[in-house]
Amino acid sequence: MKNILVTGGAGFIGSNFIHYLFSEKSFTGRVVNVDKLTYAGNPENLDGISDRFADRYVFEQADICDRESMAALFERYEIDTVCHFAAESHVDRSIADPDAFIMTNIMGTYGLLETVRRFNASRAIHFHHVSTDEVYGSLGNAGFFTEETPYRPNSPYSASKASSDHLVRAYGETYGLSVTTSNCSNNYGPYQFPEKLIPLIIENALNEKPLPVYGDGRNIRDWLFVADHCRAIYLIMNQGKRGGMYAIGGRCEMENIQVVTAICDLLDEINPCRSGKKRRDLITFVKDRPGHDRRYAIDFSKLHNELGWEPQESFETGIRKTILWYLDHPAWVDRVKSGEYRSWMNQQYGE
Ligand code: NAD
Ligand code: TYD
């Protein structure tokens, strides 16, 4: 890991991962962050990094689908490791308009793999693919996803991620590339774009706006604090079995309505409404998402048994840190919610 290419490093998890890398003593290499800067990418997420690690950090704005640009980066920076985050990541957007999901998540991953294959002829390159538990579809009331669970994606987003997982696996088998893949549950924490459930609810609750809960609010997700996820990725990249796939979870299954009420109660405690209202009164049940997966839950025994990983953050500690971060960063939220994001919300909801 001398010269690591992080794709999508200006997004939520990618930027947390770059912060993690520079805090990790065993990492002494250089990071090349390549990001197209879609509505979800924000170089501000790396503020501080470019100043403090000017000789070890480079930002390059480019589209992973642009193979010539990718090849130029591999050449110029002598890339030996790739950690691939870049993707279109929001399920609701994939339902409204799947095009960008097919292009970036499938064709973009394919292009990167081809570039790795080309350069791998002259130097060994490791490729880590960051994927999701949503590729496995939906669970009933019992059971857990493991690395052995058959793929059954239900949304255009999860189908595009499943496709990219298969390509990564195939390039390992067919061309002998050194690859690892991780499939994690729902992340939350600092720098998450406020269209995903947790930051959206925090922002709306802070501004005393309605809190939209899809369907009956009883869909279950397993919540993983982003720093725990970053630690797992680093471990897998360094010590994971080549060709291996690893499920990562937060040991934290919750119904959406429990998540939303927990945020309401904590915000009432930390930052009570000026009007004296209770934030739970803002909860509004809205039309369900089409094809809405009912339950996700992860058995991460493989990662635990092979590499000794387990989450350090509980939901109570993680959500408090997250809320405090959003309270401390109102300017960040205002900026990311302007521009392209606002026009998309206008188109969808006439806001
Ligand atoms: P995000 O939407 O916050 O960030 C994605 C980043 O990729 C953005 O910076 C965007 O500008 C960049 N990007 C998009 N298209 C690009 C392109 N064509 N070329 C270059 N850059 C491009 O996403 P995230 O939540 O940080 O997710 C990162 C990865 O983790 C994704 O692959 C996602 O599928 C996976 N994942 C996310 C979660 C979660 O809960 N957020 C859970 C499981 C897996
Ligand atoms: P989300 O954060 O979009 O992640 P994912 O769809 O990848 O799991 O949504 C998490 C859960 O919250 C999911 O069950 C859908 C639900 N949800 C709402 O109820 N209201 C909302 O406004 C959003 C964005 C999501």
Side-chain angles (χ1 to χ4, degrees):
M1 269 213 217
K2 265 191 172 153
N3 294 310
I4 173 168
L5 184 76
V6 175
T7 73
F12 163 47
I13 309 176
S15 60
N16 275 280
F17 183 69
I18 293 174
H19 283 283
Y20 174 82
L21 278 179
F22 284 111
S23 71
E24 171 57 57
K25 287 200 181 60
S26 63
F27 177 72
T28 54
R30 171 167 63 173
V31 175
V32 180
N33 174 6
V34 61
D35 198 299
K36 181 181 171 181
L37 299 184
T38 67
Y39 78 97
N42 185 358
E44 208 185 314
N45 297 1
L46 283 316
D47 271 0
I49 294 288
S50 31
D51 309 330
R52 277 189 295 136
F53 301 99
D55 52 338
R56 292 174 59 206
Y57 175 76
V58 192
F59 176 72
E60 294 277 359
Q61 183 171 3
D63 187 333
I64 57 163
C65 299
D66 173 356
R67 254 198 261 174
E68 270 179 32
S69 296
M70 292 307 107
L73 296 181
F74 274 72
E75 181 105 52
R76 186 174 328 134
Y77 297 111
E78 298 178 1
I79 298 301
D80 55 39
T81 311
V82 180
C83 189
H84 178 35
F85 294 94
E88 287 292 333
S89 66
H90 189 44
V91 174
D92 293 328
R93 281 177 187 260
S94 83
I95 295 168
D97 186 3
D99 261 23
F101 290 74
I102 305 306
M103 280 312 294
T104 290
N105 301 3
I106 304 179
M107 296 305 290
T109 304
Y110 162 63
L112 274 176
L113 287 165
E114 274 296 300
T115 309
V116 171
R117 179 160 87 95
R118 179 175 148 199
F119 283 87
N120 197 56
S122 51
R123 64 171 169 271
I125 298 176
H126 181 70
F127 187 92
H128 181 77
H129 179 51
V130 179
S131 191
T132 167
D133 60 354
E134 303 193 21
V135 297
Y136 302 122
S138 186
L139 290 164
N141 292 334
F144 295 90
F145 296 137
T146 73
E147 295 78 4
E148 308 303 320
T149 306
Y151 275 43
R152 265 188 98 173
N154 290 320
S155 71
Y157 163 67
S158 53
S160 68
K161 292 298 290 187
S163 175
S164 62
D165 290 12
H166 291 323
L167 284 168
V168 172
R169 186 177 175 283
Y171 272 65
E173 292 293 317
T174 303
Y175 301 113
L177 294 190
S178 170
V179 294
T180 41
T181 296
S182 49
N183 297 83
C184 70
S185 59
N186 288 58
N187 282 224
Y188 68 105
Y191 302 112
Q192 186 166 31
F193 195 86
E195 65 182 353
K196 303 276 168 61
L197 179 70
I198 287 186
L200 179 91
I201 296 297
I202 295 175
E203 275 311 302
N204 283 14
L206 269 175
N207 295 304
E208 300 184 35
K209 284 166 72 177
L211 309 178
V213 174
Y214 298 167
D216 65 1
R218 303 198 57 188
N219 299 64
I220 291 177
R221 298 292 182 265
D222 168 29
W223 294 97
L224 173 65
F225 191 66
V226 65
D228 279 328
H229 182 201
C230 293
R231 196 164 39 84
I233 293 174
Y234 186 71
L235 204 56
I236 295 166
M237 290 174 78
N238 277 293
Q239 296 172 39
K241 201 168 147 244
R242 277 21 200 167
M245 301 185 76
Y246 293 86
I248 313 174
R251 201 187 276 133
C252 179
E253 271 186 68
M254 290 173 79
E255 289 181 346
N256 292 336
I257 190 69
Q258 293 177 303
V259 171
V260 173
T261 50
I263 294 171
C264 289
D265 295 350
L266 203 49
L267 268 177
D268 285 347
E269 175 203 313
I270 302 175
N271 194 324
C273 291
R274 266 168 264 125
S275 58
K277 269 198 209 144
K278 291 286 166 217
R279 286 183 166 97
R280 283 182 182 221
D281 296 337
L282 298 166
I283 293 173
T284 311
F285 289 92
V286 299
K287 193 162 161 265
D288 208 353
R289 172 188 280 172
H292 195 176
D293 288 336
R294 192 66 176 167
R295 174 171 170 257
Y296 303 147
I298 295 257
D299 173 353
F300 58 83
S301 305
K302 175 176 171 184
L303 182 57
H304 180 68
N305 296 339
E306 277 187 24
L307 304 180
W309 178 89
E310 61 181 357
Q312 288 174 352
E313 215 72 56
S314 67
F315 189 74
E316 288 67 32
T317 58
I319 197 67
R320 190 174 279 274
K321 285 184 184 171
T322 306
I323 286 178
L324 290 175
W325 188 86
Y326 280 90
L327 280 170
D328 277 351
H329 293 81
W332 182 90
V333 174
D334 284 348
R335 270 196 293 279
V336 299
K337 280 173 75 178
S338 61
E340 249 186 79
Y341 172 69
R342 185 167 300 287
S343 53
W344 186 78
M345 288 296 275
N346 280 338
Q347 270 171 35
Q348 301 300 310
Y349 305 110
E351 260 203 6

